[in-house]
Amino acid sequence: MAGAPEADEPTPTSAASEPDDLGLTGLELVEHFSPAPAEGLRIAPFLDAIEAQAETADQTRSVSSEVIEAIRGTDFMRMSATRNIGGVEESMLHMGRELEAVAARCPSLAWCLWNHLCVFHLFVGSVGPEQQDFLTHVVTNGQWVSFPGGARSSVYGRVEGDQAILNGTGRWGTGARYADYCGVAFAITGDDGKPVRPMDIRFTILPTTTEGMKIDASWDGAGLRASATDDVHYTDVPVNLSDCVAWFGANRAESLRTVPVVHHRYREDWVGISDLWLSFMAVGLVRRALAEAADAAGGRRVIIGGKMVDRPTVQVNFGRAASLLAAAAAATEAACNEVDRRIAAGVVPDEADYLRQMAVTTMAVEQLDEAMSLLHRTQGGTALREGGAFDRRYRDFRAMPVHINVHQDRVTHQLGRHLLGLELNPF
């Protein structure tokens, strides 16, 4: 019959891998070209279970409770804590590798774990040595933290004696529904119910079981569907003023260079650290997407029945995507190593250090964004028709370059102002 495939060729609907001339599948070739170091990962015992539940997590918008409870309480949760508060004090590079491994399997869970490690670092720097006992309690129990304090958050505190009564909503609380504690920044109000001037903003950390706190499952994003980036509502929640600290706000990076801290590493600003790890998560996700796409390509056919892998444009796009991945991975590793060397030497970061680590990782994520676009191009309409793992990974990746911490527009604007000798914007 005209147009029918030859008997020894897979049908056009086949997704079976065809080995290359070296006898390796596309998956094996990608993993050899861009290896993901896995030695000594604390998350290793859970990776199979994390991957097994990823599709269901995407569909149900919630990470498996069994996986959540298996990780809670482990040394993984203690990685960003220093030893003097019960932590394991892992390097920035190693923590990036851990998150890279999780993101290759379930980006939603990686997003939650990333958020915990980042905001715990922020919390330690914010509350300082006076809260060392409390911090040690959180760390030694392997507890989970979240910080619903993103755009459009508005929490106010009415002072009554030695307490503040909180009302309002904290937004963008990634992992809040999985967390044991939430941080909250709030503005002190006067008798008229309006924030006092000049602004008096305080910060404290509350158990998620506190009466008057409600976690609203409001995240309805196209990707990272199980990241639980939810709203937290506060209704007449009392907090002791003695448990609150002044909130650094926009000048936190500058403040952390001089205020007392539990350990030198907490002089590093959490936004720069979050960018390092976000870039590593993007590397893990793109590497897996590339490997899966290469593995499936051998069994795909173009409209007239020829092999997809024989098309020069497909070959170029795969080669360019792999090159971008390699460059982004190398840049991210180098940026992590720079921060680790600075911490080991006891050097206090300056503005240029802070902007450099953000700039390097922002550009790495931009490279990975281009790599995903190239893979999307090679998948063509088939990916839209079939859905599957690439569709899910592509949706999840979209959240990465637009996250405010690593957003190209914000980071490059700040760096440009710095290089031109202009005052930086507050954030």
Side-chain angles (χ1 to χ4, degrees):
M1 185 170 64
E6 297 181 12
D8 61 347
E9 290 187 345
T11 65
T13 57
S14 171
S17 299
E18 293 185 358
D20 78 317
D21 292 340
L22 300 176
L24 299 175
T25 66
L27 181 64
E28 292 168 333
L29 287 166
V30 170
E31 290 180 346
H32 183 67
F33 170 76
S34 177
E39 185 177 352
L41 293 184
R42 298 179 187 277
I43 201 66
F46 311 106
L47 290 177
D48 288 345
I50 289 170
E51 184 155 17
Q53 60 85 60
E55 183 175 355
T56 301
D58 181 71
Q59 294 170 350
T60 63
R61 298 179 182 269
S62 188
V63 175
S64 159
S65 59
E66 289 80 7
V67 168
I68 292 292
E69 294 310 314
I71 297 172
R72 191 193 309 275
T74 65
D75 277 349
F76 182 98
M77 304 300 287
R78 303 182 180 94
M79 289 195 300
S80 63
T82 47
R83 294 184 184 88
N84 63 335
I85 54 173
V88 295
E89 206 171 311
E90 282 289 7
S91 69
M92 299 297 158
L93 177 61
H94 183 91
M95 286 185 275
R97 293 292 190 201
E98 297 267 0
L99 292 168
E100 175 187 24
V102 180
R105 292 157 175 85
C106 180
S108 283
L109 178 57
W111 204 257
C112 296
L113 295 170
W114 163 71
N115 188 79
H116 160 78
L117 295 172
C118 293
V119 301
F120 183 78
H121 181 101
L122 167 67
F123 289 179
V124 178
S126 299
V127 302
E130 291 184 1
Q131 295 291 332
Q132 187 162 342
D133 288 345
F134 169 72
L135 295 169
T136 302
H137 168 80
V138 173
V139 174
T140 55
N141 286 282
Q143 292 176 310
W144 204 308
V145 299
S146 176
F147 185 26
R152 295 177 54 239
S153 295
S154 54
V155 184
Y156 302 100
R158 182 181 72 254
V159 176
E160 293 185 358
D162 59 358
Q163 292 186 321
I165 310 302
L166 305 188
N167 284 279
T169 301
R171 304 186 187 276
W172 299 85
T174 296
R177 76 181 72 160
Y178 311 131
D180 300 291
Y181 289 92
C182 280
V184 54
F186 61 94
I188 297 293
T189 59
D191 294 337
D192 59 359
K194 298 179 181 179
V196 299
R197 301 291 177 177
M199 293 284 284
D200 181 359
I201 303 178
R202 312 285 180 93
F203 173 80
T204 194
I205 304 170
L206 297 172
T208 53
T209 54
T210 300
E211 186 175 355
M213 285 179 60
K214 176 187 175 184
I215 298 172
D216 179 12
S218 58
W219 178 251
D220 192 30
L224 299 175
R225 291 174 171 172
S227 68
T229 304
D230 299 330
D231 294 342
V232 177
H233 304 289
Y234 301 87
T235 303
D236 292 331
V237 176
V239 297
N240 295 326
L241 291 172
S242 60
D243 293 332
C244 304
V245 295
W247 183 235
F248 297 142
N251 69 333
R252 68 194 175 280
E254 181 180 352
S255 299
L256 287 169
R257 295 170 194 154
T258 57
V259 299
V261 289
V262 168
H263 185 279
H264 172 75
R265 83 156 50 196
Y266 299 109
R267 297 205 182 281
E268 296 284 340
D269 183 58
W270 81 286
V271 171
I273 289 172
S274 76
D275 285 359
L276 298 175
W277 297 339
L278 190 153
S279 187
F280 255 125
M281 290 194 295
V283 166
L285 190 161
V286 173
R287 181 189 291 111
R288 177 57 67 90
L290 175 64
E292 290 172 343
D295 202 41
R300 293 194 182 278
R301 296 291 183 270
V302 296
I303 291 175
I304 60 174
K307 291 183 179 181
M308 172 182 167
V309 295
D310 288 338
R311 298 297 295 266
T313 51
V314 170
Q315 297 165 8
V316 168
N317 287 337
F318 268 88
R320 184 167 176 79
S323 300
L324 290 163
L325 169 63
T332 304
E333 180 175 346
C336 283
N337 281 329
E338 179 181 333
V339 176
D340 281 328
R341 287 193 298 269
R342 188 163 63 232
I343 292 171
V347 175
V348 177
D350 62 18
E351 203 68 44
D353 293 328
Y354 174 52
L355 289 168
R356 186 169 54 255
Q357 74 187 86
M358 288 197 298
V360 169
T361 50
T362 293
M363 290 301 101
V365 172
E366 288 296 308
Q367 289 177 309
L368 294 166
D369 191 11
E370 183 180 351
M372 283 299 280
S373 294
L374 291 167
L375 291 178
H376 187 239
R377 187 185 303 170
T378 63
Q379 301 301 291
T382 300
L384 297 177
R385 177 178 182 271
E386 295 179 353
F390 181 80
D391 172 69
R392 173 162 47 88
R393 297 192 198 287
Y394 186 78
R395 285 188 285 103
D396 286 342
F397 181 84
R398 301 319 316 157
M400 295 183 175
V402 297
H403 189 280
I404 188 61
N405 287 4
V406 76
H407 199 294
Q408 183 188 102
D409 293 352
R410 184 187 76 84
V411 173
T412 54
H413 180 231
Q414 292 284 64
L415 177 56
R417 291 185 65 86
H418 175 74
L419 296 176
L420 294 170
L422 302 175
E423 184 179 354
L424 298 187
N425 289 341
F427 186 78

